[in-house]
Amino acid sequence: MSAISALFAQSVSERSLCDGYRALERLGAWWITADALKIVGVDVCAVADVRAGEFVVLLARDGHSTVIHAGLALPLRWTQMKKADPRLPPALAKLAMQIREENASADALKWQLFLGDKCPDLSDCTFFFESASAMLAATLQVALISAELDATVTASAVFGQGADLQPVDGLEAKLAAARRLGLKCVCISRVQPEFESVEGLNVVRLEGRTAKEQLGRLLLELDAPPTSASFDTRCEWYERHTREDATRAQDFYSASLARDLANHAASVALFPIAQGGQLALITTGRSEVAAFSACYYSPHRIIVFSQDDAKSRRLAENTRDAIGIANNAVEVVLRYWNSSLDDEVERMSSDAAVLLAPFIAENATNQAPFSIDLTGGKTSMKFALFHAATSLSLDCFITDSRDHANGGTDVRTTRVIKLPHGALPGLGI
């Protein structure tokens, strides 16, 4: 019996405990209980010990041990190597091979599963790894797209044995292991039976109509925002997330893309950019245009028009927050439009002109530009604001991006189009 295997016996001598702790190397702090560590005479902690490129799978040990936690965590990584890691437990090596072979990408076979840094040889250890299958399948996909893993996220669910990701046994012990390690989120099957929550740990049920869709949701959770990556990598991350994880994608856009996209659009613009002054726009459920405009026009103030109802007010506040993230030098003023969308355009246009009047008066004194962005909002609101802008001789613009051939929008093609007066009906906007 190896020094590590001896730790799982019902009775463990002090000498076996000390030998086992040394044999576990880095995992000693992960697996051995606090009371047992005191006997060894060490004061170590596993919190925040997950290293770059690693991810964590959660296990529940069999049998009874006085020195090993009931729930265990194991650091792993996918690496492009010709040979597999000989230190892997046989069941884990077999599962990794199965995941690689079942992946739709031919490149999957170029990747091998390895234990994390400074982990011992576990090839004679017997564990059940089915609950790690969803995590292995999702992290392999992350590796294939060269994305950055969020090491604070893991999952405990079975992939490949039903229409849904399947529930697991021993979840409470696994959640306790995740908390000891300082993880922030554990994803589980949407059909996992009820369990006792763990303070400080977010547990997310993976929704979706099929196991594949649920695995896709896990992939989004694991796909960390690449804040320091190249422009193209950041655009690709945003486009991956914008449909399924809109709030996270919008925050990333405001913080990491709006400025670069605005600078690029300005460099290829066919008309001079009237920066500074004031900008008016209509709020929508997507805040990206407002964040982009805050950088493109660099106004000192943005007036955000919104309908006066609870939902619209929340959207307006989200728009204000996005502008602040993209360009915190901009003052944001929210103005609520009391006109009903059933009102005639002329009535709405008149109301818009009244709301704009005090801001236009301020501009008249300093001769600063005043622009109107008509990209967002209900069609009737766009028409009304356009008519008001025309009567006040204000320039109007829309922000546009080309579609990808395979669906979605290519955010890298974002551009600003200036509308000639009277052009709105002809553009179908």
Side-chain angles (χ1 to χ4, degrees), residues 1 134 218:
M1 179 182 293
L218 174 56

Side-chain angles (χ1 to χ4, degrees), residues 383 386-387 420-429:
F383 269 107
F386 175 76
H387 285 300
H421 292 294
L424 195 64
L427 290 176
I429 299 171

Side-chain angles (χ1 to χ4, degrees), residues 255-369:
S256 299
L257 278 177
R259 177 68 62 184
D260 287 345
L261 289 168
N263 289 342
H264 175 70
S267 71
V268 298
L270 300 178
F271 52 87
I273 304 162
Q275 292 190 324
Q278 301 183 85
L279 172 72
L281 53 83
I282 306 170
T283 189
T284 67
R286 305 289 305 193
S287 61
E288 287 92 331
V289 170
F292 171 88
S293 298
C295 299
Y296 184 86
Y297 300 98
S298 294
H300 79 267
R301 178 186 293 139
I302 294 180
I303 303 101
V304 178
F305 282 100
S306 170
Q307 287 296 112
D308 193 9
D309 58 70
K311 180 180 178 181
S312 297
R313 282 180 173 267
R314 286 195 299 273
L315 295 178
E317 290 165 0
N318 291 341
T319 300
R320 177 192 60 201
D321 294 344
I323 292 170
I325 294 172
N327 186 352
N328 60 14
V330 178
E331 175 193 357
V332 182
V333 179
L334 306 183
R335 285 294 178 265
Y336 295 103
W337 208 327
N338 289 317
S339 296
S340 166
L341 294 181
D342 294 329
D343 288 344
E344 295 294 330
V345 169
E346 289 77 7
R347 164 70 188 282
M348 295 179 68
S349 176
S350 175
D351 290 346
V354 170
L355 291 172
L356 288 170
F359 303 106
I360 294 172
E362 177 185 320
N363 261 48
T365 62
N366 56 25
Q367 297 184 334

Side-chain angles (χ1 to χ4, degrees), residues 17-18 21 32-42 66-68:
L17 174 59
C18 293
Y21 171 77
I32 297 179
T33 66
D35 289 341
L37 288 173
K38 291 179 182 178
I39 297 173
V40 177
V42 296
T66 57
V67 298
I68 295 291

